[in-house]
Amino acid sequence: MDAAPAAGEVHDGKRERFDLGVLVGDLALDEDVASDEEESLEGLRQELDDCKDDEEVANILANGIKLRDYTKGVENNIRQIELDSIQDYIGESENLVSLHDQIRDCDNILSQMETVLTGFQTEIGSISSEIKVLQEKSMDMGLKLKNRKAAESKLSKFVEDIIVPPRMIDIIVDGEVNDEYMKTLETLSRKIKFIEVDAMVKSSKALKDVQPEVERLRQKAVSKIFEFVIQKFYALRKPKTNIQILQQSILLKYKYTIVFLKEHAKEIYAEVRAAYIDTMNKVLSAHFRAYIQALEKLQLDIATSTDLLGVETRSTGFLFSIGKEPLKSRSSVFALGERINVLKEIDQPALIPHIAEAKSQKYPYEVLFRSLQKLLIDTATSEYLFSDDFFGEESLFNDIFAGPIQVVDEHFNAVLLNCYDAIGIMLMIRIIHQHQLIMFKRRIPCLDSYLDKVNLSLWPRFKMVFDLHLNSLRNANVKTLWEDDVHPHYVMRRYAEFTASLVHLNVEYGDGQLDLNLERLRMAVEELLVKLAKMFPKQKLQTVFLINNYDLTISILKEAGTEGGKAQVHFEEVLKSNIAVYVNFDMSRENSERPIEQIFMQEELLLEHFSDLIKFVKARPSEDTASSSDKASVSDVEPLVKDFASRWKAAIELMHKDVITSFSNFLCGMEILKAALTQLLLYYTRLTECVKKINGGSALNKDLVSISSILYEIKKYSRTF
């Protein structure tokens, strides 16, 4: 059975035939086994179905060959192949013997090579041992070299730090103070620190030889540095020296000299520090004193102790001072005007006095104040930064600037003591506030206390001057102030300009205390204005006077470019009420219930020309409610109708001229005239209605003026403005 596959391969050339033959050979297809009842016919069918695609099985089944006969044929073929193989082996016997000899020779050669390689292996093992020994020696030598290098490095550094090269001695002793000297000075400083700090150095023998030389070099360096620095400090005292340029371009270049003195000669450093403080204190004090003297020549006096709101014009000396000072400066006592520009130019450079003096220019004190304070904060900023950089001490600034600040304070206190310019003081308060913001943005705190002190000095002075104005209104002599003129009073103009100025300066700050003071001032001036109005003999003139002054005040507050604050709102309400007094708009029941005298008094403008008409209309009850005895007759209204028809245009023209001359504000006057004419139209309409309801009143129709004619006249005057 083992030879069956081989026979199948030789005969058919296909391995599948051997496998299928074995498979088929196991099938029970013979007649002898067909009778086996235990065989499953279903399993046979399955196997046949699986092998039906095999060609060999298909041929056997197709030809009807029995399996036993087929097996015998296969065995015969295998025997024949075996016999053929034996013959082939006998034929190749010589070649096999030759192959055997060759294999034996190769085996001998390989044995010799094995012997040689074994010898090589032994020699390599010996070399490896020698390499390990050399490696250990190399590592030992490397460690020794590393230790020697470390020792050499430390020794070299020690020698380098402790020895004093001849070149260093030459530079320190004979060299000029320059960049090379600074580098040598740093080297000397390191050597001094090395000797003083390192404990091992103090125990070395080399120190005994080197230390005296190092000490002599230190003393020589300190001496030379002291002379050099003091010489540079004295250069600051020369006239017309630009201190900032000298500090930044020269002194800062040699700031290590100060570091050296601070570390190795503290007593000498203290002397140098004191010399600088003394020098800068005197130099800056002299500069500020000279600058203040130059500024004083440019000062334009604005206000004196008599320049108050409630003081009579003649007593202030305005008429006699025009020749000494420009009229423009006198108008700035109460009006802000162009003085506000000083806040817009807050960060501009300080004034140069000799240039301004050459141009014959004069300035209000707040301009000079801004210039002086600007110079002060710029100089202080520069000095503060230099002191911190050069000396490393911020506290040095206070000692340096004690003198300059004292000079500025003395000048400022003297000026403030005689300052009666409330607007100027308020401008200075705002200038100080802006300078505080500038210093805050620069992050320079050195002038915080000074600026706070100046601010605290200005507010009490402002309050004192403001109270002078307030008391001048409260204590004003009405008789001396009163003028027989209904046009705006100069006191009211002063008040309006003064209030507008302060309100404008308070817009961005919202100072509640200032608002309260302005409210007190408004109440005082309004009380004075009412007293002045009562000096006029006629109620009409009183009302016109009040309207003109209120209107002026509102106009000035609006022209100031601000909302005018509470004062403007108040005066607008008062103006409306006084216009209502001058021309009564309301013909309602409320007016009819008021005393006839008061109503007539409120309508003076119309009463002057149409008194009979107004009295008749107001005295007549409504026709619907009137009794037969109260109704008017033709004889009652005929004179009124004819009188009105004969002169109503002339009367309106006279009213127009009266308004033009009475009211300083043309627009306001025209509005009042328009309102009066409208009121006249209402009265005349009432009259015409009354005429129409009278028996026989139709006879007067020819004398009645048409309403359209009156409206035309009203529109004509309305077009004039």
Side-chain angles (χ1 to χ4, degrees), residues 288 346-347 370 372-385 397-398 401 405 430-452 454:
F288 276 99
I346 193 68
D347 209 21
R370 183 210 69 85
L372 178 60
Q373 298 300 319
K374 173 65 175 175
L375 180 64
L376 181 63
I377 65 173
D378 287 348
T379 305
T381 299
S382 175
E383 188 60 37
Y384 178 83
L385 295 175
F397 172 84
N398 295 328
F401 256 73
I405 289 179
R430 301 313 182 204
I431 288 169
I432 286 295
H433 178 76
Q434 293 297 323
H435 283 169
Q436 286 176 322
L437 293 179
I438 290 172
M439 295 299 283
F440 176 76
K441 291 178 182 178
R442 293 178 180 178
R443 297 183 179 181
I444 304 295
C446 57
L447 288 181
D448 288 353
S449 59
Y450 165 76
L451 294 174
D452 289 339
V454 173

Side-chain angles (χ1 to χ4, degrees), residues 302-308 333-334 339 415-425 428 461-462 464-466 468-469 498:
I302 299 295
T304 63
S305 59
T306 59
D307 293 325
L308 302 174
V333 176
F334 306 106
R339 298 175 71 180
V415 172
L416 192 62
L417 188 63
N418 297 309
C419 182
Y420 295 92
D421 182 9
I423 294 176
I425 296 174
M428 288 187 280
R461 185 64 187 182
F462 173 80
M464 189 273 289
V465 176
F466 189 91
L468 289 177
H469 286 288
F498 185 71

